[in-house]
Amino acid sequence: MTRPVLNIGLIGTGFMGKTHVFGFASAPKVFDLPYELQLHTVADISDKAAYKAAKDFGFEHWTTNWRDLISNPEIDVIDITAPNALHKEMALAAIAAGKHVYCEKPLAPLAKDALEMADAAEAAGVKTQVGFNYLCNPMLRQAKAMIEAGALGEIRGYRGIHCEDYMADENGQYTFRHDPAGGGALADLGSHALATAEYLLGPITDVLGDCVTVIPSRPDGKGGHRDVTVDDVGRAFVRFANGAQGSIEGNWIATGRKMQHDFEVYGTKGALAFSQERFNELHFYSTEDPAGRRGFRRIEAGPDHDPYVRFCVAPGHQLGFNDLKAIEVAGFVHAIAGEYPEPFNFRAGLGIQKIVETIQSSSRKSAWEQVI
Amino acid sequence: MTRPVLNIGLIGTGFMGKTHVFGFASAPKVFDLPYELQLHTVADISDKAAYKAAKDFGFEHWTTNWRDLISNPEIDVIDITAPNALHKEMALAAIAAGKHVYCEKPLAPLAKDALEMADAAEAAGVKTQVGFNYLCNPMLRQAKAMIEAGALGEIRGYRGIHCEDYMADENGQYTFRHDPAGGGALADLGSHALATAEYLLGPITDVLGDCVTVIPSRPDGKGGHRDVTVDDVGRAFVRFANGAQGSIEGNWIATGRKMQHDFEVYGTKGALAFSQERFNELHFYSTEDPAGRRGFRRIEAGPDHDPYVRFCVAPGHQLGFNDLKAIEVAGFVHAIAGEYPEPFNFRAGLGIQKIVETIQSSSRKSAWEQVI
Amino acid sequence: MTRPVLNIGLIGTGFMGKTHVFGFASAPKVFDLPYELQLHTVADISDKAAYKAAKDFGFEHWTTNWRDLISNPEIDVIDITAPNALHKEMALAAIAAGKHVYCEKPLAPLAKDALEMADAAEAAGVKTQVGFNYLCNPMLRQAKAMIEAGALGEIRGYRGIHCEDYMADENGQYTFRHDPAGGGALADLGSHALATAEYLLGPITDVLGDCVTVIPSRPDGKGGHRDVTVDDVGRAFVRFANGAQGSIEGNWIATGRKMQHDFEVYGTKGALAFSQERFNELHFYSTEDPAGRRGFRRIEAGPDHDPYVRFCVAPGHQLGFNDLKAIEVAGFVHAIAGEYPEPFNFRAGLGIQKIVETIQSSSRKSAWEQVI
Amino acid sequence: MTRPVLNIGLIGTGFMGKTHVFGFASAPKVFDLPYELQLHTVADISDKAAYKAAKDFGFEHWTTNWRDLISNPEIDVIDITAPNALHKEMALAAIAAGKHVYCEKPLAPLAKDALEMADAAEAAGVKTQVGFNYLCNPMLRQAKAMIEAGALGEIRGYRGIHCEDYMADENGQYTFRHDPAGGGALADLGSHALATAEYLLGPITDVLGDCVTVIPSRPDGKGGHRDVTVDDVGRAFVRFANGAQGSIEGNWIATGRKMQHDFEVYGTKGALAFSQERFNELHFYSTEDPAGRRGFRRIEAGPDHDPYVRFCVAPGHQLGFNDLKAIEVAGFVHAIAGEYPEPFNFRAGLGIQKIVETIQSSSRKSAWEQVI
């Protein structure tokens, strides 16, 4: 019996576009997917980029008009890795055409846009996915399972950060990531910290924000400078619906840090500590270990941590970033087949956008705000 | 030529009292002090405790009346390790008697008390010292020197915490540390994080606080319960006079953590990361290292890091907590001789108290406040 | 212009077979390969296994007779992941048919077999590759480059281990890995430690071995027990042609260790430390760093470390085990096209076998032996 | 009731002499010792050194003739921190005078000397102590207790090293540590690795050595060079009486390492890993932890680890190198009072010397030798 084909149309061929292609290539080898994935058509803004991507990535067709993908009845899934500002238009068109949509984060510059997108997708009955790939880590799944199984007791507190330094150079040019609508370190990186926090502990209900612009202007690429108003560091004190409290930070000027997506969560009976810098490890402390032998134990990813075993039958061999993307792709494909719920759909992406905007608003007002 | 004698009177013989005695015993062996330190008299509340302390610690005399120490003209230094609430009365009496005063942190329950103490000491011309021992670490001195030498470039941000779990058990009894006047995790532990932050970066000028009571009542030791209103987690967003921004956390319910007095500070050219859990190490990142070879380098304490060499001529052998106290004692003794400024006097202790109270007030108001 | 096709025939579909398929799937997406890779035919011992592998992995054809692959003129590359004892027969047949051969390690049970294989391949002019995948790590390439550039000065010493615990359970069954011909921890895991040592420092010339059987018998799977004579721990003191000295250990009963493929190499001016447990990091110490600021610096894998950037343009995102296999596949494919030398051919695999056997012989004689 | 006085006579005032004085100063404050320790007389070779030591360290008397200490009936304990070559003569004289002897390691250049010393001490009925201070670490005591309690199951293997780089500079001058009689990295540093191994696992019975001179000559301090014949790296494969096997390394040219006194020991049920670089931690792996939650747990030193609590009542505050020396002093003083056995007496020191020499001999012969 052969699998039905799922035809993919990809928009955008940069960093994330390439990563998605890796995911499409690996996922069918690693997982027992309900569909055959077919790289149907790729779109980019120039002939050259689109042609090269088709050739390198193995797409059958290419185009410089992304609307060709939408209108092509053969294509089942529209995968959007184009700049943030275009997500909404593209996604709404795809949804209107009845296609499933896989969209890189952030879902849209503003929560109101994300809301429109989520509503449209649900009304159309298509499946959606937002690319919060760090959530696909087996060790995060393990952490969540341990929390839910009560290994930490009642959860009391959380501290989550996502710090990098890729914007630390003040001579780095102004980009779309500095755009007042949807830009900034909180939206870009803090959103990951928020997604992980909610993945593990459930909804964040209240925030008190502090968004700081440290580098007030950047070269505009034309010999001049352009003012920056978005945050280089965006953080918040937070409250969770489960009663826990904590803090979150997104930071793209943290010199020396490349992937400091870290958290520590503690409860009445234990704690977990994690760093994306060593994302194949999870550190667990239990008050139930015998006196004199307690300590954070470094759990290495292995076959006990689903779905690690699909990549490797031996422990300690480690997954890479692109493997997380393969897990993400697989989750979405299973959801399209109706086998599982969507792992992180537009509604979930909207949730993150809302918190980001509430933190930004709270920072402007210097007052606690409820996430609505 | 013999050294003049400095007679010490110690009040309190618990955890900190003993630690101070270790400092008095080690400091003269380690450092070339301008005085001979003499353990003159020790005071505690019971005959038994005072007698035992005198015998164990090597004091010549003991008393159950701390005022005996004040009135004894032979005694030069009053060392206060009694409960917090008594610091003020004892210190003011000692100052009035013209004695130098060494007082454990926190200096007093409230900043207004600390102010009175600092004013009195300065008016009397006596030397004072507050026990912020973590500042005595050679690696912190190294960090400060590197920051001042520009190794990090212009300082942009800071993240400092001091988390322990010694109050995590909700069945742990109500103590003076839960007292609404001066109690709480921020005052107890967050004060260390604040002291380190200011030691490295200079004054904190503005704060936005979040003080949370997680365990709302504790056993009163008489079969009932007593409400707790102080914070179990106290944190703040902060601004420094030098333009940097950051965050601070004090936390005594952080399950699994025993001494998580950590910081990360980053500038335009580099960063430092530190954990008191491994306090003989300092981690330094420099953007000036060659491409492909950059990374946080783990500097181990050694003779290059003053005053490590006085304890050991070989690197990597490591100092212990009590050694930090010996450094603290030595600093105070040199200050008494007028050789150096007081390392951390009552005025400095007052500064920390002020920030603590400003954070607490800010938390109640949910508004940024200036530290005055 | 389209790429010519390279048709792959895979023998064996277990742990390593699957890993190779991941490599074939990823390599063309990640690298700009001179060939189109086509998964032509897969062979396994049962209809069921072969059929399932074809379906799951995407091979066009399947067979239970591996000789079908050899005789099929369409197939260009024979990839052997069958049990060790079969490598020689399969490889020689493939070579005789003029096919390129990719063979999992160890190349053959005995060096004399490996020699025959290497000679045959060279005589036939086909390209070969042995699967020492850990060598494909960009951080090892970086380490080698630093050593060759003199960053450590003159190399003096080396300590390399590869310890796991997958044979630590004495109730684990007797397998082909316990076979006196070619089995044991040294051959299985120590061979990796040897390959890394020679990759970094060049040839090992002399060894003094110590091979120990710790678990003397194992269940035979039929209710009885079978004697084990191969080593559970195999180690050696070694001398390198460059004048350096050191030690090597292979160990499969190291309780708690899953992937302790570690080394430390030191020279007159610096040192490198590495652990496969965190294989996206390399730790570098330089005596040329300024006094007081020296320390092992943790270099995180990034675009500066070729070919990391092909997987990800941002640093710190990390490669996984299967990515190393993609690099291995790419290296072989480039070699087939004649663009680069074979990264680790049969002659190199033979070299490792020789050292393993010399260590085993040296252990039996308790005497230094020269590797010939 | 007052304690009887134990009068100390110290010979040698360098690195180790000072460390001993720290121990004498701290031990009585930290422990409840059966004696009052009195720093009676210090001896060094020059008036200046002896006088300065007396003044700085607090000795009542000083002399340039160490025999004055021996002949002084007031002195109870002779503490020898003079160069290695003098240990025997001094110790034998002290023993003959009926004094207890505390001697820095190595006990003597050669085992036959150490044997004479041990025999003499036992015949005279005096107490002795050799300064293997790393054994005094509470975490090593914890490790030993866990091993003895069966936490690791049956012990199978061991890997221990002690690597530093203080002799890595080939321009470093020839010293007594390079003396063919008793010198070399194995005797100097490897002896620590051996002592730790035997402390944890019991007697080493057989060795196969490899002692290498890497730097063949050193400046003689007079403008010329002097040949060096002792080992810069000395290592051995070892067998323990308990059936375990393993390896040992002493190395003083390990660039970048300051205190790499590390071990890993594994058994049928668990493992321990330790590094003196972070000696307040012990890492424990247990196969009895639940699947998916296993890992090396980082146990931080605290009150559960005797005698940590005597230094500090709170966990995680950490002991320093000099604290280990205080524990060593206390152990010896208790032994003098007959309360406990000598922690590490001359007979034990002899044992280490014997292994060192057997390794050296084994290395020359390239053959396994039994430790007799």
Side-chain angles (χ1 to χ4, degrees):
Chain A
M1 195 204 79
T2 54
R3 270 170 263 239
V5 169
L6 198 70
N7 279 302
I8 314 290
L10 172 69
I11 312 176
T13 64
F15 176 12
M16 276 301 134
K18 194 171 178 184
T19 298
H20 283 223
V21 170
F22 292 160
F24 292 130
S26 301
K29 311 288 179 189
V30 176
F31 294 94
D32 186 21
L33 296 185
Y35 293 102
E36 191 83 22
L37 304 188
Q38 192 68 35
L39 299 183
H40 190 287
T41 307
V42 62
D44 209 326
I45 43 172
S46 74
D47 276 12
K48 190 176 160 190
Y51 169 75
K52 181 168 169 24
K55 192 175 61 103
D56 290 355
F57 298 163
F59 281 84
E60 295 168 73
H61 313 284
W62 58 268
T63 175
T64 56
N65 181 359
W66 61 265
R67 293 187 184 276
D68 292 349
L69 276 63
I70 309 292
S71 60
N72 190 330
E74 290 179 4
I75 293 179
D76 304 296
V77 173
I78 300 293
D79 182 8
I80 305 171
T81 68
N84 191 9
L86 302 170
H87 289 184
K88 182 181 171 186
E89 184 184 7
M90 291 170 172
L92 289 179
I95 291 164
K99 306 203 183 291
H100 306 296
V101 188
Y102 182 11
C103 185
E104 254 315 303
K105 59 141 292 256
L107 186 49
L110 300 174
K112 70 182 173 60
D113 302 312
L115 173 61
E116 209 175 320
M117 293 158 77
D119 284 348
E122 289 170 12
V126 300
K127 304 292 183 180
T128 57
Q129 170 89 354
V130 192
F132 280 94
N133 46 272
Y134 302 122
L135 303 180
C136 298
N137 183 349
M139 297 320 272
L140 253 67
R141 194 181 290 195
Q142 171 72 9
K144 184 181 175 67
M146 289 172 75
I147 290 169
E148 289 176 353
L152 311 194
E154 191 186 330
I155 302 303
R156 284 175 165 169
Y158 188 88
R159 198 166 52 243
I161 61 176
H162 189 124
C163 303
E164 301 190 11
D165 67 359
Y166 81 106
M167 290 292 187
D169 182 357
E170 61 200 7
N171 297 317
Q173 202 170 306
Y174 190 101
T175 74
F176 74 89
R177 288 194 170 84
H178 301 99
D179 196 76
L186 181 67
D188 186 32
L189 302 183
S191 56
H192 284 297
L194 290 164
T196 297
E198 290 206 321
Y199 175 74
L200 295 173
L201 267 61
I204 289 171
T205 57
D206 298 88
V207 298
L208 176 57
D210 180 29
C211 298
V212 190
T213 307
V214 173
I215 302 172
S217 76
R218 289 181 176 270
D220 61 6
K222 303 164 195 159
H225 269 71
R226 192 161 165 189
D227 287 352
V228 174
T229 56
V230 299
D231 60 288
D232 293 305
V233 183
R235 61 199 148 202
F237 303 131
V238 298
R239 298 291 183 270
F240 294 87
N242 72 358
Q245 44 72 43
S247 65
I248 293 289
E249 177 174 336
N251 184 333
W252 63 22
I253 57 163
T255 302
R257 295 300 177 179
K258 312 305 172 189
M259 188 40 73
Q260 196 182 20
H261 177 92
D262 298 0
F263 67 80
E264 185 153 338
V265 54
Y266 51 95
T268 48
K269 287 169 45 184
L272 290 171
F274 172 84
S275 174
Q276 186 73 20
E277 290 187 349
R278 291 165 170 172
F279 76 79
N280 285 277
E281 301 175 11
L282 179 65
H283 297 252
F284 170 48
Y285 181 97
S286 174
T287 60
E288 295 178 342
D289 283 338
R293 298 186 185 181
R294 282 181 208 128
F296 278 89
R297 77 176 75 143
R298 182 168 72 95
I299 306 170
E300 293 179 88
D304 292 325
H305 310 108
D306 192 44
Y308 175 99
V309 75
R310 292 181 167 276
F311 292 86
C312 185
V313 297
H317 282 58
Q318 297 167 47
L319 303 191
F321 175 72
N322 289 335
D323 295 327
L324 303 186
K325 218 67 192 179
I327 298 173
E328 186 175 284
V329 163
F332 186 41
V333 172
H334 283 297
I336 288 172
E339 296 173 357
Y340 300 108
E342 296 150 310
F344 204 92
N345 62 17
F346 280 13
R347 186 66 55 191
L350 165 64
I352 300 301
Q353 289 293 106
K354 276 185 188 170
I355 311 177
V356 168
E357 289 182 23
T358 311
I359 291 171
Q360 290 165 337
S361 162
S362 159
S363 173
R364 283 188 300 271
K365 297 181 191 163
S366 290
W368 280 91
E369 284 197 39
Q370 206 178 337
V371 180
I372 312 175
Chain B
M1 195 205 78
T2 55
R3 270 170 263 240
V5 169
L6 198 70
N7 280 301
I8 313 290
L10 172 69
I11 312 176
T13 65
F15 176 12
M16 276 301 134
K18 194 171 178 182
T19 298
H20 283 222
V21 170
F22 292 160
F24 293 130
S26 302
K29 311 288 180 189
V30 176
F31 295 93
D32 186 21
L33 296 185
Y35 293 101
E36 191 83 23
L37 303 189
Q38 193 67 35
L39 300 183
H40 190 287
T41 307
V42 62
D44 208 327
I45 44 173
S46 74
D47 277 13
K48 191 175 157 190
Y51 169 76
K52 182 170 168 23
K55 193 173 61 101
D56 291 353
F57 298 163
F59 280 84
E60 295 168 73
H61 312 284
W62 59 269
T63 174
T64 56
N65 181 0
W66 62 265
R67 294 189 184 276
D68 291 349
L69 275 64
I70 309 292
S71 60
N72 189 330
E74 290 178 4
I75 293 179
D76 303 296
V77 173
I78 300 293
D79 181 9
I80 305 170
T81 68
N84 191 9
L86 302 170
H87 288 185
K88 181 182 171 185
E89 184 183 7
M90 291 170 172
L92 288 180
I95 290 164
K99 306 205 183 291
H100 305 296
V101 189
Y102 182 12
C103 186
E104 253 316 302
K105 59 139 295 256
L107 185 50
L110 301 174
K112 70 182 171 63
D113 302 313
L115 173 61
E116 210 175 319
M117 293 158 76
D119 284 348
E122 288 169 12
V126 300
K127 304 291 183 181
T128 57
Q129 169 89 354
V130 191
F132 280 94
N133 45 273
Y134 302 122
L135 303 180
C136 299
N137 183 349
M139 297 321 272
L140 254 66
R141 195 181 290 196
Q142 172 71 9
K144 185 182 174 67
M146 289 172 76
I147 290 169
E148 290 176 352
L152 310 194
E154 191 186 331
I155 302 302
R156 283 175 165 170
Y158 188 88
R159 198 166 53 245
I161 61 175
H162 188 125
C163 303
E164 301 190 12
D165 67 359
Y166 81 107
M167 290 292 187
D169 182 358
E170 62 200 5
N171 297 316
Q173 202 170 306
Y174 190 101
T175 73
F176 74 90
R177 289 194 169 83
H178 301 99
D179 197 75
L186 181 67
D188 187 31
L189 302 183
S191 56
H192 284 298
L194 291 165
T196 296
E198 290 206 322
Y199 175 74
L200 295 173
L201 267 62
I204 289 171
T205 57
D206 298 87
V207 298
L208 176 56
D210 180 28
C211 298
V212 189
T213 307
V214 174
I215 302 172
S217 76
R218 289 181 176 270
D220 62 7
K222 304 165 195 161
H225 270 70
R226 193 162 164 187
D227 287 353
V228 174
T229 56
V230 299
D231 60 289
D232 293 305
V233 183
R235 61 199 148 203
F237 303 130
V238 299
R239 299 290 183 271
F240 294 87
N242 72 357
Q245 45 71 44
S247 66
I248 292 289
E249 177 175 336
N251 184 333
W252 62 22
I253 58 163
T255 302
R257 294 299 176 180
K258 311 305 171 188
M259 187 42 72
Q260 196 182 18
H261 177 92
D262 299 0
F263 67 80
E264 185 153 338
V265 53
Y266 51 95
T268 48
K269 286 170 46 185
L272 291 171
F274 172 84
S275 174
Q276 186 73 20
E277 290 186 349
R278 291 165 170 174
F279 75 80
N280 285 277
E281 301 175 11
L282 179 65
H283 297 252
F284 170 49
Y285 182 96
S286 174
T287 60
E288 296 178 342
D289 284 338
R293 298 186 185 181
R294 283 180 208 130
F296 277 89
R297 76 176 76 144
R298 183 169 71 95
I299 306 169
E300 293 179 88
D304 292 325
H305 310 108
D306 193 44
Y308 175 100
V309 75
R310 293 181 166 276
F311 292 87
C312 184
V313 297
H317 282 58
Q318 297 167 47
L319 303 190
F321 174 71
N322 289 335
D323 294 327
L324 303 186
K325 218 66 192 178
I327 297 172
E328 186 175 283
V329 163
F332 187 40
V333 171
H334 282 298
I336 288 172
E339 296 173 358
Y340 300 109
E342 296 149 309
F344 204 91
N345 62 16
F346 279 14
R347 184 67 54 190
L350 165 64
I352 300 300
Q353 288 294 106
K354 276 185 187 169
I355 310 177
V356 167
E357 290 182 23
T358 311
I359 290 172
Q360 290 165 336
S361 161
S362 159
S363 173
R364 283 188 300 270
K365 297 180 191 163
S366 291
W368 281 91
E369 285 197 37
Q370 207 179 338
V371 180
I372 313 175
Chain C
M1 196 204 78
T2 55
R3 270 170 264 238
V5 169
L6 198 69
N7 279 301
I8 314 289
L10 172 69
I11 312 176
T13 65
F15 176 12
M16 275 302 134
K18 195 172 178 183
T19 298
H20 283 223
V21 171
F22 292 161
F24 293 130
S26 301
K29 311 288 179 188
V30 175
F31 295 94
D32 186 21
L33 296 185
Y35 293 102
E36 191 82 23
L37 304 188
Q38 193 68 34
L39 299 182
H40 190 286
T41 307
V42 62
D44 209 326
I45 45 172
S46 73
D47 277 13
K48 192 175 158 189
Y51 169 75
K52 183 170 168 23
K55 192 174 61 102
D56 289 356
F57 298 164
F59 280 84
E60 293 168 75
H61 313 285
W62 58 268
T63 175
T64 56
N65 181 0
W66 61 264
R67 293 187 184 276
D68 291 350
L69 276 64
I70 308 292
S71 60
N72 190 331
E74 290 180 4
I75 293 179
D76 304 296
V77 173
I78 300 293
D79 182 8
I80 305 171
T81 68
N84 190 9
L86 303 170
H87 288 184
K88 183 182 170 186
E89 183 183 8
M90 292 170 171
L92 289 180
I95 291 165
K99 305 201 184 292
H100 306 296
V101 188
Y102 182 12
C103 185
E104 252 316 302
K105 58 138 296 253
L107 184 49
L110 300 174
K112 69 181 171 66
D113 302 313
L115 173 61
E116 210 176 319
M117 294 158 76
D119 284 348
E122 289 170 13
V126 301
K127 304 291 184 181
T128 57
Q129 169 89 355
V130 192
F132 280 93
N133 46 271
Y134 302 121
L135 303 180
C136 298
N137 183 349
M139 297 320 272
L140 254 66
R141 195 181 290 196
Q142 172 72 10
K144 185 181 175 66
M146 289 172 76
I147 290 170
E148 290 176 352
L152 311 194
E154 191 186 331
I155 302 302
R156 285 176 164 168
Y158 188 86
R159 198 165 53 244
I161 61 175
H162 188 125
C163 304
E164 302 191 11
D165 68 359
Y166 81 106
M167 290 290 187
D169 182 356
E170 61 201 6
N171 297 317
Q173 202 171 305
Y174 190 100
T175 74
F176 75 89
R177 288 194 170 85
H178 301 99
D179 197 76
L186 181 67
D188 187 32
L189 304 183
S191 56
H192 284 298
L194 291 165
T196 297
E198 289 207 322
Y199 175 74
L200 295 173
L201 266 62
I204 289 171
T205 58
D206 299 87
V207 298
L208 176 56
D210 180 28
C211 297
V212 190
T213 307
V214 173
I215 301 173
S217 76
R218 288 180 176 272
D220 62 6
K222 305 164 194 160
H225 268 71
R226 193 163 164 186
D227 287 352
V228 174
T229 57
V230 300
D231 60 288
D232 292 306
V233 183
R235 60 198 149 203
F237 303 131
V238 298
R239 299 290 181 272
F240 294 87
N242 72 356
Q245 45 72 43
S247 65
I248 293 289
E249 178 175 336
N251 184 332
W252 62 23
I253 58 164
T255 302
R257 294 300 176 180
K258 311 306 171 190
M259 188 41 73
Q260 196 181 18
H261 177 92
D262 298 1
F263 68 80
E264 184 152 340
V265 53
Y266 51 95
T268 48
K269 286 169 46 184
L272 291 171
F274 171 84
S275 174
Q276 186 73 18
E277 290 186 351
R278 291 164 170 174
F279 75 79
N280 285 277
E281 302 176 9
L282 179 66
H283 297 252
F284 170 49
Y285 182 95
S286 174
T287 60
E288 295 178 342
D289 283 338
R293 297 186 185 182
R294 284 181 207 129
F296 278 89
R297 74 178 75 145
R298 183 168 72 94
I299 306 170
E300 294 179 88
D304 292 325
H305 309 108
D306 193 45
Y308 175 100
V309 74
R310 292 181 167 275
F311 293 86
C312 184
V313 298
H317 282 58
Q318 297 165 49
L319 303 191
F321 174 73
N322 289 334
D323 295 327
L324 303 186
K325 219 64 192 178
I327 297 172
E328 186 174 284
V329 163
F332 187 41
V333 172
H334 283 297
I336 288 172
E339 296 174 358
Y340 302 108
E342 296 150 310
F344 204 91
N345 62 17
F346 279 13
R347 185 67 53 190
L350 165 63
I352 300 301
Q353 288 294 106
K354 276 185 188 169
I355 311 178
V356 167
E357 289 182 23
T358 311
I359 291 172
Q360 290 165 336
S361 162
S362 159
S363 174
R364 283 189 299 270
K365 299 181 191 163
S366 290
W368 280 92
E369 286 196 36
Q370 206 178 337
V371 180
I372 314 177
Chain D
M1 196 203 77
T2 54
R3 270 171 264 238
V5 170
L6 198 70
N7 279 302
I8 314 289
L10 172 69
I11 312 176
T13 64
F15 176 11
M16 276 301 134
K18 194 170 178 185
T19 298
H20 282 223
V21 170
F22 292 161
F24 293 130
S26 301
K29 311 288 179 189
V30 175
F31 295 94
D32 186 21
L33 296 184
Y35 293 101
E36 192 82 23
L37 304 189
Q38 193 67 35
L39 299 182
H40 191 287
T41 307
V42 62
D44 209 327
I45 44 171
S46 73
D47 277 13
K48 190 175 159 192
Y51 169 76
K52 182 169 168 27
K55 191 174 62 101
D56 289 356
F57 298 164
F59 281 84
E60 294 168 74
H61 313 285
W62 59 270
T63 174
T64 56
N65 181 0
W66 61 266
R67 293 185 185 277
D68 291 349
L69 276 64
I70 308 293
S71 59
N72 190 330
E74 288 179 4
I75 293 179
D76 303 297
V77 172
I78 300 293
D79 182 8
I80 305 171
T81 68
N84 191 9
L86 303 170
H87 288 184
K88 182 182 170 187
E89 183 183 9
M90 291 170 172
L92 289 179
I95 290 164
K99 305 203 184 291
H100 306 296
V101 188
Y102 182 12
C103 185
E104 252 316 303
K105 59 141 290 257
L107 184 49
L110 300 174
K112 70 181 171 64
D113 302 313
L115 173 62
E116 210 176 318
M117 293 159 78
D119 284 348
E122 288 171 14
V126 300
K127 304 291 183 180
T128 57
Q129 170 89 354
V130 192
F132 279 93
N133 45 273
Y134 301 122
L135 304 180
C136 299
N137 183 348
M139 297 321 271
L140 253 66
R141 195 180 291 196
Q142 172 72 10
K144 185 182 174 66
M146 289 172 76
I147 289 169
E148 290 176 352
L152 311 194
E154 190 187 330
I155 301 303
R156 286 177 165 168
Y158 188 86
R159 198 166 52 244
I161 60 174
H162 188 125
C163 304
E164 302 191 11
D165 68 358
Y166 81 106
M167 290 291 186
D169 182 358
E170 60 200 6
N171 297 317
Q173 202 171 307
Y174 190 101
T175 74
F176 74 88
R177 289 194 171 84
H178 301 100
D179 197 76
L186 181 67
D188 186 32
L189 303 183
S191 56
H192 284 298
L194 291 165
T196 296
E198 289 207 321
Y199 175 75
L200 294 173
L201 266 62
I204 288 171
T205 58
D206 298 87
V207 298
L208 177 55
D210 180 28
C211 297
V212 190
T213 307
V214 174
I215 302 173
S217 76
R218 288 180 176 272
D220 62 6
K222 304 163 196 161
H225 269 70
R226 192 162 165 187
D227 286 352
V228 174
T229 57
V230 300
D231 59 289
D232 292 307
V233 183
R235 59 200 149 202
F237 303 131
V238 298
R239 298 291 181 270
F240 294 87
N242 72 357
Q245 45 71 45
S247 65
I248 292 290
E249 178 175 337
N251 184 332
W252 62 22
I253 57 163
T255 303
R257 294 300 176 180
K258 311 305 172 189
M259 186 42 72
Q260 196 182 18
H261 177 91
D262 298 1
F263 67 80
E264 184 151 341
V265 53
Y266 51 95
T268 48
K269 286 169 46 184
L272 291 171
F274 172 85
S275 174
Q276 186 73 20
E277 290 186 350
R278 291 164 170 174
F279 75 80
N280 285 277
E281 301 177 10
L282 179 66
H283 297 252
F284 170 49
Y285 181 96
S286 174
T287 60
E288 295 177 342
D289 283 339
R293 297 186 185 182
R294 283 181 207 128
F296 278 88
R297 73 177 77 145
R298 184 168 71 95
I299 306 170
E300 294 179 88
D304 292 325
H305 310 108
D306 192 43
Y308 176 99
V309 74
R310 291 181 167 275
F311 293 86
C312 183
V313 297
H317 282 58
Q318 298 166 48
L319 303 191
F321 174 72
N322 289 335
D323 295 327
L324 303 186
K325 218 65 193 179
I327 297 173
E328 185 175 283
V329 162
F332 186 40
V333 171
H334 282 297
I336 288 172
E339 296 173 358
Y340 301 108
E342 296 150 309
F344 204 91
N345 62 18
F346 279 13
R347 184 67 55 190
L350 165 63
I352 300 301
Q353 289 294 106
K354 277 185 188 170
I355 311 177
V356 167
E357 290 183 22
T358 311
I359 291 172
Q360 290 165 336
S361 162
S362 160
S363 174
R364 284 189 299 270
K365 299 180 191 163
S366 289
W368 280 91
E369 285 196 37
Q370 206 178 339
V371 181
I372 313 176

